[in-house]
Amino acid sequence: MKTIKNFYGMKIVIGSLFLTVFSMAIINNTASFYMEPICKTLGFTVAEFSAVYSMAALGAAVGAMLAGTLVQKLPIRLMMIIGALGTGLGFGGMSMATQIWQFYILMFVTDCSMALITNIPIATMLSNWYIDNRGKMIGLVFAGTGLGSLVFSPLTEFLIGSTGWQTSFQIMAGIILITALPVCIFVFYKTPADVGQKPFTFPEGSPEAEKAAAAREEGKDSGSADDIESGVPRKVAFTTPAFWLLAGCLLLMGIMCSGVMVHIPTYLYQNDMNAGFVMAVLSVGILVGTFGSGVLMDKLGLVKVLMLCVIAYSAGMVCLYFVPYTAVLSYVMAVCLGLSVCIAKVGPPMLTSTIFGMKDYSFLYGLNYTIFLVGSVTGPVLCGILYQINESYSMVWIINIIFAVGMFFMSVVATKAGGAARRKAERIEEQKIAN
């Protein structure tokens, strides 16, 4: 579809931004503020309440697999309405919890429900609605999480201090319900065909269209995700090397992106540095990088952007290694990491659509995103074990460079294998039509 004023895809983008700026930012970035006041009020130990965040990760993983299945079986609005209600009510319900097991259940429900309104359905809709500018729109929408955290992190801290943690939970839950329910009820459509439109493409003959066509031709061996009806069926995907290579790639991506983030503040404090300001610079870098990486993927291609992210990430790890010798490197590190770990937002959906196409995209992305989440949970623990063994973070930074390089090479081979699998699937489909 050419660029037209009434193209409905922009409403999908705006509605998705409402979910990432409000619901996703609140759940992902403010939950940690509640541990200290809840433990103080109800007498839980830090170890007991820390398990709440493990239940959140488990809920997100279960929700990702559930969303990948339900998005193919239910109307997307119905699934997202259920998810919005579960997210808001689950988060608000913690204001009434008094036992630790109640927090476990409610946090599991909250993150499981949030999966029904965020990563899987949003990436599925944007991939269906946009052929050109797909990376740009995915980057823009998921950058909303960082934008929201700039507002809701200090707001949550203020509310807990001035009104108490129970009231803060209730206010934030109200914001989630007020912003999520209307867009889930009235805005979203899974595909352009639902409103009689076609996916967005640049106007035929325009310079943008020629560049996009050239980029797709250059990436022909890796497959292209132009047709929302084409791609590798799930049963075939499981038998291909591309699936297992992508699984390994996303596992390493989760480990490298989440592992170091948890330990950087501790490392900086050990070296008598201002971790708060450095992490603020890093957060801005992630915000800029999430949108920028999506734009660059449309212009340079997925593999080249992954390579740039690995180079920036490795530079950040080198800076961390030498931070004890010069504090200025902590800020160089923040910029490098901010512009590289952002790949955790845009990378999984773009890799899945590029490798397997759109035929069973939502199911395959749900499964792949679950693998990514396993890596995200494993990363901080693995880095902690490495620190304990060596009594130093030096080996942690070196090992993560190895993980990043391994992730990149797996992604390159996976895209090549995916291209071969897509061409094979297309030949089989043509033979079925011919017979």
Side-chain angles (χ1 to χ4, degrees):
M1 166 163 285
K2 297 180 180 180
T3 307
I4 56 175
K5 292 183 179 179
N6 65 344
F7 179 57
Y8 196 86
M10 281 307 302
K11 294 181 181 178
I12 302 295
V13 172
I14 294 171
S16 299
L17 270 168
F18 265 76
L19 296 179
T20 57
V21 169
F22 294 99
S23 299
M24 202 170 181
I26 289 172
I27 303 301
N28 286 351
N29 298 305
T30 71
S32 60
F33 287 95
Y34 293 94
M35 179 161 62
E36 192 274 336
I38 290 175
C39 289
K40 184 177 180 180
T41 303
L42 300 179
F44 304 139
T45 66
V46 171
E48 286 176 328
F49 199 82
S50 293
V52 169
Y53 303 115
S54 297
M55 292 301 294
L58 179 61
V62 172
M65 290 188 289
L66 188 62
T69 300
L70 290 181
V71 77
Q72 295 182 315
K73 298 182 179 296
L74 295 179
I76 198 164
R77 288 187 179 185
L78 176 59
M79 184 190 80
M80 297 184 76
I81 289 169
I82 294 170
L85 288 170
T87 304
L89 295 177
F91 201 67
M94 283 186 278
S95 66
M96 298 180 286
T98 57
Q99 303 295 320
I100 191 64
W101 64 266
Q102 295 170 343
F103 285 98
Y104 293 161
I105 292 174
L106 288 168
M107 188 60 85
F108 177 91
V109 170
T110 298
D111 275 72
C112 184
S113 299
M114 188 177 70
L116 302 183
I117 63 172
T118 52
N119 291 83
I120 309 304
I122 286 176
T124 298
M125 287 188 292
L126 294 177
S127 295
N128 285 338
W129 277 90
Y130 287 88
I131 291 175
D132 293 329
N133 273 348
R134 180 179 293 163
K136 178 180 179 180
M137 293 306 172
I138 290 176
L140 171 64
V141 167
F142 286 110
T145 308
L147 182 63
S149 71
L150 296 177
V151 176
F152 290 111
S153 291
L155 178 59
T156 299
E157 191 174 25
F158 168 77
L159 288 173
I160 291 174
S162 59
T163 66
W165 59 268
Q166 293 96 333
T167 302
S168 179
F169 268 129
Q170 293 167 0
I171 292 173
M172 290 299 167
I175 292 173
I176 290 171
L177 291 171
I178 290 171
T179 56
L181 275 175
V183 294
C184 292
I185 294 171
F186 299 112
V187 174
F188 294 127
Y189 290 97
K190 183 180 176 181
T191 68
D194 294 336
V195 291
Q197 295 188 357
K198 294 181 179 180
F200 174 86
T201 57
F202 292 121
E204 188 176 352
S206 68
E208 295 88 351
E210 292 176 1
K211 290 179 181 178
R216 286 194 291 272
E217 184 65 24
E218 183 180 349
K220 195 172 183 181
D221 290 339
S222 302
S224 60
D226 297 348
D227 187 351
I228 64 174
E229 299 297 329
S230 70
V232 182
R234 67 178 78 174
K235 292 182 179 179
V236 176
F238 294 148
T239 66
T240 64
F243 178 83
W244 301 105
L245 285 165
L246 178 59
C249 167
L250 294 182
L251 182 68
L252 290 178
M253 186 182 291
I255 291 172
M256 59 177 264
C257 289
S258 70
V260 297
M261 294 293 289
V262 172
H263 290 273
I264 286 173
T266 301
Y267 178 65
L268 294 177
Y269 286 134
Q270 287 178 353
N271 289 280
D272 299 321
M273 295 179 186
N274 187 339
F277 189 71
V278 172
M279 295 305 289
V281 173
L282 197 156
S283 297
V284 173
I286 293 174
L287 175 62
V288 174
T290 302
F291 176 64
S293 62
V295 174
L296 288 176
M297 282 181 187
D298 290 330
K299 295 181 178 298
L300 302 178
L302 177 60
V303 171
K304 290 180 181 177
V305 173
L306 285 170
M307 181 178 67
L308 291 174
C309 287
V310 169
I311 292 172
Y313 182 88
S314 300
M317 292 299 100
V318 171
C319 288
L320 278 171
Y321 190 93
F322 290 104
V323 153
Y325 305 103
T326 172
V328 71
L329 286 178
S330 64
Y331 298 102
V332 179
M333 172 277 299
V335 173
C336 289
L337 281 191
L339 297 177
S340 56
V341 298
C342 59
I343 197 64
K345 297 289 186 183
V346 185
M350 291 298 289
L351 277 164
T352 304
S353 63
T354 298
I355 292 171
F356 295 113
M358 298 305 300
K359 189 175 185 65
D360 278 330
Y361 172 81
S362 55
F363 178 84
L364 291 170
Y365 177 47
L367 188 57
N368 286 322
Y369 189 69
T370 302
I371 296 169
F372 169 81
L373 289 174
V374 171
S376 298
V377 173
T378 304
V381 177
L382 180 59
C383 289
I385 292 172
L386 288 171
Y387 172 75
Q388 290 295 333
I389 292 173
N390 296 279
E391 298 184 351
S392 168
Y393 275 109
S394 298
M395 187 55 65
V396 173
W397 314 140
I398 294 172
I399 292 294
N400 274 282
I401 292 177
I402 296 173
F403 287 157
V405 174
M407 180 276 294
F408 174 70
F409 280 108
M410 281 188 175
S411 69
V412 172
V413 180
T415 53
K416 294 292 184 181
R422 300 247 335 245
R423 290 190 293 273
K424 182 178 179 180
E426 289 170 3
R427 287 195 299 268
I428 293 173
E429 191 66 27
E430 290 172 358
Q431 289 173 0
K432 287 181 180 179
I433 296 173
N435 294 333

